[in-house]
Amino acid sequence: MSTVTRPERVLFVHAHPDDETLASGGTIATLLELGAQVTVLTATRGERGEMLTRELAPLAGDGLRVAAHRETEIAAALAALGGPAHLWLGGPGARPTDLPTRRYTDSGMQWGPDGRATSAGDAPADSLTRADLGEVVDDVRAAIRSTGADAVVSYGDDGGYGHPDHLRIHAAARYAATAEEVPFSMIVDADSGLADLTVDVLPVRGRVRAALEQYRSQVAVDPADPQDPASLSYVMPHGVRHQVPALEAFRHDTPPAPVAPQTFAEMSGQGKATAVVVAAVVGVLVGALGTITHQQTVAIGSWSTAPIGMVLTTLIVIGIVVGIRLLYRSRLLVAAVGIGIILATQVLVAVAGATSPLVLANAAGYVWTFGPAVVAMLVLAWPDLTGLRAHQPTDGQRPTDVQHPTNGERSEVAAPHE
């Protein structure tokens, strides 16, 4: 078993209140006792979580009231663990300073036939999984910077048990840590054979029990056994009893090469604005080039006037708008290119005057006048095929290796519940 050395500042990134205690409470308490500066970053307030007790049952389904109650639970639980700092994703300290704060809500889940969580299929518009991944990553990066974190800890690539919010947080935390060049570690089962670091959490068992007991809406903690004071177990909403392990384990992740956003939707707000401007500029350049060259002909054998200009400019337009739509899955970028082409053509014609030789009343002139607009409209009209491509890194891509907050050895995350 590895000995935990004192890290300076560690950021634990979790999806819902109670995850920090269930998945890593012993390590949080241990690090605090060692004098580390620990911050827990929570993405949502668990608005769709179940309310287990009779007195809390009326709150179920009322997202705002559930959120308010779970805020009190996590505050009490963190105090029981030793008082780590706490941030909400999208809130102060976990949001770029040039953006207004926002609130991510619980995406919900359902239990699949294999006993693992899966998507509920009705995640609300403001939920974590429906948020732009780039925005979530930027918020985690802001938390890393505001806390001065030396290391980041979160779930493994399976989210521990498959919850879609856990999968999203794994991806966001991992990408954010990589971008900020901070070691990233994932929580794993100590018996999985994947652990690079294990933490003996029996010495802080009392703190973990006290923290778990604050989550009465989510888990039912079994009474302490006088014959076995180190034993700690609880029952989850779906009736499964879990024994809290004596060891918490981590696998360190090796930072992957920086990954550029694969689609327009994955870009940050600034990236999207830049992409639109670049697309419009490309459209203007193509429009200017096409307006000047589309009348060009060339002699090819018996073809004394082959319309090489019309053919090439049309192919260029088709290639650019189709390529952008396929690569970035964005109608907006296609529209920006089309508008740029049309504006460039009209401006050049207007500057040249009524006797302009740029666009003539012939086949090439008609093709250039109407062709780009028709091509752009056809490309804009075809259906969105994004769903056919698994471009989200949260759905099963296995991360490469990184480093753990506590010393620098090698880790994955297990988190039990919503």
Side-chain angles (χ1 to χ4, degrees), residues 92-168:
R95 184 74 167 171
T97 55
D98 59 340
L99 295 177
T101 60
R102 69 159 293 176
R103 183 164 170 156
Y104 297 93
T105 64
D106 191 340
S107 303
M109 53 148 278
Q110 59 184 340
W111 293 107
D114 60 353
R116 293 179 60 79
T118 185
S119 171
D122 61 348
D126 60 352
S127 66
L128 179 63
T129 55
R130 293 189 63 180
D132 180 87
L133 178 59
E135 181 180 6
V136 180
V137 171
D138 286 345
D139 287 353
V140 179
R141 292 183 67 180
I144 294 173
R145 293 192 294 268
S146 73
T147 60
D150 301 311
V152 177
V153 183
S154 191
Y155 313 110
D157 54 0
D158 66 346
Y161 67 106
H163 194 296
D165 283 341
H166 290 216
L167 297 174
R168 175 53 61 96

Side-chain angles (χ1 to χ4, degrees), residues 92 110 119 184 304 336 394:
Q110 59 184 340
S119 171
F184 177 65
S304 58
T394 59

